[in-house]
Amino acid sequence: MAAILVEQLLNALALAGLLFLVSVGLSLVFGILRVVNFAHGVFYMLGAYLGFTAVAVSGWFWLSLVVVPPLVGVVGALLEASTLRFIYRRPPIYQLLLTFGLALILEESVRVIYGPTAKGIDPPPLLQGAVEIAGTFYPRYRLFLVVLGIVVGLGVWLFLQRTRTGLVIRAVAQNSEMADCLGADVGRVRTLVFGAACALAGLGGVAAGPMTTAYLGMGIGVIVDAFVVVVIGGLGSIGGSMAGSLIVGAAQTWGAFYLPETAMVIMYAVMGVILIFRPWGLFGEEE
């Protein structure tokens, strides 16, 4: 029983690490740009496919973790600068339709380039196999996902709280008009945030590749979970993304183990209960 508990706990943490990489970018985009980005899951998928290409060309998984996220971030920044920035002042339906259309275009582009078959990515030799923990053998790669989620979460928090750029980003999030009057380049900040959010989603896609393979439609499932995470934790909150990822990861993992037919229901039930008592999320601010 102890071995089963440890294994399920680690599974929940590994899933939470992946969900955090996607949901934190989604939360940042809403907190700064006030945009619900339906294309966010496609950047996750794009990261997985570009990770497959990087590993196939170089044979080095670690290189893909370094190179692919900035490439995905550049794609996101270019799309924001060429399309999204022109409709910030329009009703939200314009943003929803635009990001949904971008998602369709990007996914179809990936289909044309890579074909319909899934692409497998081998983990690096260092992360292959399993280690013994509390009487159970657990895959090294999933432990890596736990560590990666913690490191990225700490890095994002330190960047926003301890750097001048992070201070400007938080100022734009609170009052973009006042930040603009004080000399902040609001347009550049928005482009930077959108690109960074896409880069985090791309990092999540690269990290997910060895565990799930890269396949068409993988962004749809993860964006649904990411939206649940953001709603639970609170829009625009980094701490909320961490807490929401842990809650959703635990709900899915333990639900799939004990009640496999109702695992998704459990996740939505948890979200519903939290919204009844805190409609703005656990760490969100009431508006």
Side-chain angles (χ1 to χ4, degrees):
M1 180 61 68
I4 293 175
L5 290 176
V6 171
E7 182 179 2
Q8 295 306 312
L9 175 62
L10 292 174
N11 283 337
L13 291 175
L15 179 58
L18 269 182
L19 289 175
F20 174 77
L21 293 176
V22 182
S23 63
V24 68
L26 192 66
S27 184
L28 280 175
V29 167
F30 180 84
I32 310 300
L33 281 65
R34 299 299 175 185
V35 172
V36 180
N37 181 18
F38 273 101
H40 199 68
V42 179
F43 290 106
Y44 170 82
M45 182 187 71
L46 182 61
Y49 274 95
L50 290 179
F52 163 77
T53 300
V55 173
V57 172
S58 67
W60 196 20
F61 175 78
W62 301 111
L63 180 65
S64 67
L65 278 179
V66 176
V67 173
V68 170
L71 290 177
V72 177
V74 169
V75 173
L78 291 175
L79 289 175
E80 189 278 338
S82 60
T83 59
L84 199 56
R85 68 166 50 178
F86 299 107
I87 61 171
Y88 285 135
R89 297 185 181 275
R90 295 194 177 186
I93 187 63
Y94 286 88
Q95 301 164 5
L96 297 178
L97 291 174
L98 176 60
T99 55
F100 183 71
L102 290 175
L104 296 178
I105 293 171
L106 289 172
E107 181 154 359
E108 191 61 29
S109 299
V110 171
R111 183 195 304 273
V112 171
I113 295 172
Y114 289 96
T117 57
K119 309 296 181 182
I121 303 175
D122 293 328
L126 179 65
L127 300 179
Q128 293 179 1
V131 294
E132 185 176 1
I133 301 177
T136 184
F137 286 93
Y138 197 77
R140 287 191 176 95
Y141 191 79
R142 296 202 174 198
L143 292 175
F144 165 73
L145 294 179
V146 176
V147 175
L148 180 64
I150 294 173
V151 170
V152 172
L154 181 61
V156 171
W157 182 84
L158 289 174
F159 174 77
L160 291 175
Q161 300 294 328
R162 297 290 186 266
T163 66
R164 181 177 178 81
T165 303
L167 176 63
V168 174
I169 290 174
R170 287 186 285 122
V172 171
Q174 292 180 3
N175 193 324
S176 60
E177 289 81 7
M178 182 60 69
D180 186 49
C181 293
L182 294 175
D185 191 337
V186 175
R188 181 176 297 180
V189 169
R190 286 171 171 167
T191 302
L192 171 66
V193 169
F194 195 86
C198 295
L200 287 170
L203 176 61
V206 177
M211 189 171 68
T212 65
T213 72
Y215 61 93
L216 294 171
M218 65 185 297
I220 297 175
V222 76
I223 195 62
V224 172
D225 292 344
F227 272 121
V228 174
V229 168
V230 172
V231 169
I232 289 175
L235 290 166
S237 171
I238 306 301
S241 295
M242 295 180 183
S245 298
L246 290 171
I247 292 172
V248 172
Q252 287 195 7
T253 301
W254 291 95
F257 183 77
Y258 288 105
L259 299 169
E261 296 181 356
T262 60
M264 298 301 294
V265 176
I266 293 174
M267 180 181 72
Y268 293 121
V270 171
M271 180 182 70
V273 170
I274 291 175
L275 288 179
I276 289 174
F277 296 99
R278 288 186 64 87
W280 51 90
L282 293 176
F283 291 84
E285 296 182 359
E286 185 177 6
E287 297 185 359

